[in-house]
Structure formats: C-alpha cells, structure tokens
Amino acid sequence: MIKKLNKVSREFMEVLDRNKVRGYALTLDFEGLDKKFTSNAKFSQADFNSSFIAIQLTMNEEAINLEEESIIIHANILKPNNKVITNVCEVLDEANGVILLALKTQSLDTVGDYEFEIVVNIGSTRKLVSPLVTYKTYPSFESNVVEISEDEV
C-alpha cells in the first residue's frame, strides 16, 4: 500500500529540494502482492544523477527492520521496452525500513511507464519481494552531449 509521506520522507524531500534534485517518497507495504501500485513519480529521460525514490518498507503497516547484518536490497526495474535492469538500493534508516532507490541513466532512458519491485535479501537463506510499483519517464530533447550551434548563440 502506498501511503502519505511520513516524517522521515518529509525530511528527505526537504534535502532533495535544497540540493535541486527530483525525488519522491512513498511507503510500500509488502502485504499487497496482488496489487500494482502507481507511485505518481515522474522523471525526465535526460535526468542524470538527480532522480531518487525514498521508500519506507513495511509489512502490515509496520516498518521492516533492516538492522540485520547481511541485508542486501535491490530493485528489479522493468523498462517500457521489456528489458529488466537491477539497481542496488541504499539503506537510509535501518530501524524505520527506509531505503533510497537512485534512478541511474538506464533506469530513465526509455520514455514510458516503468515497473519495479524491491527485493530484500537477508543473508543467503531468505528473500522478501515487494508488490510492483510504477513510475513514468517523459521525453527530453537533452542528450548526454550538448552541442551549441554557433549561429544560435
């Protein structure tokens, strides 16, 4: 279930605003496996090192404690062209189950609707997978190489 921003998320959004980057925050309950959640997160396909989603992981509306030793968290992202990529997530707050999904170039380069799932690997013996969440990428004329036409300056 995606819920309203909690205190941790509001603080995160204030940091994003100060640093002039694009970010969204949501709470994701792992109980809703039969649902796909729309995050309303919107990014530009030209965003570069500036797009983030902070996610509080919960189970039955209680924070998932990420303080165990060998936890690795990643997101499997299905692009609009049906290719799947994986991004490792950073833990922001272990006790409150807050992680950061940084959207890198491959996570934004195709215009359209993306879906992702969060995977929590606990050691080598347990794994917990979230329901699907969506975000959208919009087109941009910007590219990695910026050329300025002499007659346009």
Side-chain angles (χ1 to χ4, degrees), residues 53-70:
I53 302 175
I55 307 166
Q56 181 176 32
L57 308 178
T58 63
M59 180 71 79
N60 293 321
E61 299 186 12
E62 290 190 27
I64 295 174
N65 188 320
L66 303 174
E67 293 176 311
E68 291 190 39
E69 281 184 29
S70 55

Side-chain angles (χ1 to χ4, degrees), residues 132-144:
L132 294 176
V133 182
T134 65
Y135 68 89
K136 190 170 189 79
T137 299
Y138 289 91
S140 173
F141 292 124
E142 181 66 28
S143 67
N144 291 336

Side-chain angles (χ1 to χ4, degrees), residues 102-118:
L103 299 175
K104 306 191 186 318
T105 305
Q106 289 293 313
S107 310
L108 298 168
D109 67 351
T110 306
V111 172
D113 295 322
Y114 288 70
E115 294 179 357
F116 70 88
E117 64 186 5
I118 300 297

Side-chain angles (χ1 to χ4, degrees), residues 27-114:
T27 299
L28 177 58
D29 197 288
F30 276 56
E31 265 309 297
L33 284 176
D34 57 337
K35 299 175 181 146
K36 184 189 306 184
F37 298 103
T38 302
S39 71
N40 295 322
K42 299 174 181 103
F43 303 98
S44 168
Q45 91 184 105
D47 286 348
F48 181 69
N49 291 334
S50 61
S51 299
F52 304 91
I53 302 175
I55 307 166
Q56 181 176 32
L57 308 178
T58 63
M59 180 71 79
N60 293 321
E61 299 186 12
E62 290 190 27
I64 295 174
N65 188 320
L66 303 174
E67 293 176 311
E68 291 190 39
E69 281 184 29
S70 55
I71 287 186
I72 298 172
I73 302 171
H74 68 272
N76 294 321
I77 302 171
L78 176 64
K79 297 169 63 164
N81 62 8
N82 289 324
K83 294 190 178 187
V84 176
I85 57 172
T86 300
N87 281 12
V88 175
C89 298
E90 177 184 345
V91 177
L92 295 179
D93 182 341
E94 293 174 336
N96 290 305
V98 180
I99 64 167
L100 181 67
L101 171 57
L103 299 175
K104 306 191 186 318
T105 305
Q106 289 293 313
S107 310
L108 298 168
D109 67 351
T110 306
V111 172
D113 295 322
Y114 288 70

